[in-house]
Amino acid sequence: MQPTLDIPILDDLDAPKQVSVTHQGKRQVYLETYGCQMNVSDSEIVASVLRENGYGLTQDEHEADIVLINTCAIRENAEQKVRRRLGELRARKMKDNPDLKLGVLGCMAERLREKLLDQEKLVDLVVGPDAYRDLPNLLGAAEDTGQAAVNVQLSREETYADIAPVRYDTNGVSAFVSIMRGCDNMCSFCVVPFTRGRERSRPVASILDECKSLVDNGYKEVTVLGQNVNSYRDGQNGSTVDFAELLYRISLLSPDLRIRYSTSHPKDCSDALLHVHAERANVCNYIHLPVQHGNTDMLQRMKRTYSREQYLDLVERARKIVPGISLSTDIIAGFCDETEEEHRDTLSLMELVRYDHAYMFMYSERPDTYAARKYTDNVPEDVKKRRLQEIIELQTRVSLEGNRAEIGAEHVVLVEGPSRRSDAQLSGRTDTNKMAVFDRMDFVKGEYVRIKVTDCTSATLIAEPIGRA
Ligand code: 5AD
Ligand code: SF4
């Protein structure tokens, strides 16, 4: 059964995002982005590279000379969605606009290049996540020669540190700042180390410069991004800056700038980092701390490098050092050989931790991964679905109970804009990353507003505004 609950699940994460900025250039590019925030952040780099080279950006795919799809490979259905989309675009190109250039960027590029170029002849351009500087050359080559152009080389150094991204989210309030790329963790289910390459950190000075310029331009919130941000390490200039130190330095830029980050690995969540959360008021009281599973044997098979007990200890430490800290997680249902008892361990861990929020997935085998090579994807589809549904139902109940316990509580929210349902209401997130909606009054986007919670759903706090904070 397809989950129908109002918490983000697969489909929400897999919905494509489009540019909200447009400008004219020598050729118009339509850029569509699938997958995680990191991909959205990459598309901001792509938009910047294209703009610097005279290309325009459009939101209307029908007026585009070039259509670029920034792809996601994390789960099979994300990949299928992109392939369907490419088929559709290809058919339109053949029928209406033979000069249209079609390009695939990002995580699907490396693995599918042969198929996309040769067997299926779907695209004119294939560009991997470390080759975006080369885009103008590749586009030029594809246009001049009519031949497909490819660069899927992964790099050990590329961090796009010097490229000022074109901000996608034009709310002018919150922005993403990429601080590291790639992942060395090799969790057995995950394709990311293969599609995005080795871990590398962006120099601290360029991160601070970018955050400073966001502050100067009136931004109030940054989310620093990477596949595993808390393994960040910049060893340049003689001294090493780790993630705790980096967050601390960003937090000093302005007391009005809130800082969040995504995503982290429990093995790298140090006490020093927890103390930065506790001591710096503008480092949000929220950590996304993916557990993936609640059973130690499964965690070992997943190559997560911690046990159930170690994870629970970490949660206890986090709550002791940072009272009231909000936690969210990622969970996979139906990984190879998962027994009913092991599945129940996931449920019991969720009951123990009581996450504020969770992203919940059904396992899908990804090529090249350790799991694909060594294990069998042997949990039947209907069992996977039922287990996922149990996980979702439990989380919805826990989220609702957590939100109900907030009724009467006060929070400071950063106004992001009108609520989705009504212009008479505003929405914004609490320090603990909960979405709240409340009457507009005379508040405007970008302001910090004190609110009192009066009601809730499992996904949203309903509140009355008290005043500016
Ligand atoms: N199948 C299902 N979910 C996966 N994730 C990563 N790889 C897979 C896979 N093969 C999930 C993990 C990760 C999140 C970004 O996606 O939970 O934390
Ligand atoms: Fe994938 Fe694990 Fe790296 Fe996350 S930490 S990107 S799940 S390999």
Side-chain angles (χ1 to χ4, degrees), residues 183 185-187 189-190 192-193 227 265 304:
C183 182
N185 286 330
M186 294 287 188
C187 300
F189 50 81
C190 186
V192 166
Q227 253 72 46
H265 194 296
R304 290 292 290 179

Side-chain angles (χ1 to χ4, degrees), residues 188-236:
S188 61
F189 50 81
C190 186
V191 78
V192 166
F194 303 92
T195 60
R196 301 189 72 99
R198 300 303 296 268
E199 211 166 273
R200 63 222 103 114
S201 295
R202 176 178 169 186
V204 67
S206 83
I207 298 170
L208 291 174
D209 282 350
E210 186 176 340
C211 292
K212 177 76 174 50
S213 96
L214 287 167
V215 171
D216 293 343
N217 285 300
Y219 281 82
K220 296 287 171 52
E221 185 176 81
V222 291
T223 303
V224 299
L225 289 181
Q227 253 72 46
N228 181 17
V229 283
N230 52 0
S231 70
Y232 176 88
R233 194 159 291 270
D234 177 12
Q236 292 182 348

Side-chain angles (χ1 to χ4, degrees), residues 74-75 189-191 263 288 290 292 304 330-332 359 361-366:
I74 194 118
R75 284 169 291 271
F189 50 81
C190 186
V191 78
T263 181
H288 182 61
Q292 311 296 359
R304 290 292 290 179
D330 291 347
I331 290 182
I332 298 178
Y359 296 94
F361 311 103
M362 224 161 56
Y363 173 61
S364 81
E365 186 178 278
R366 307 310 293 133

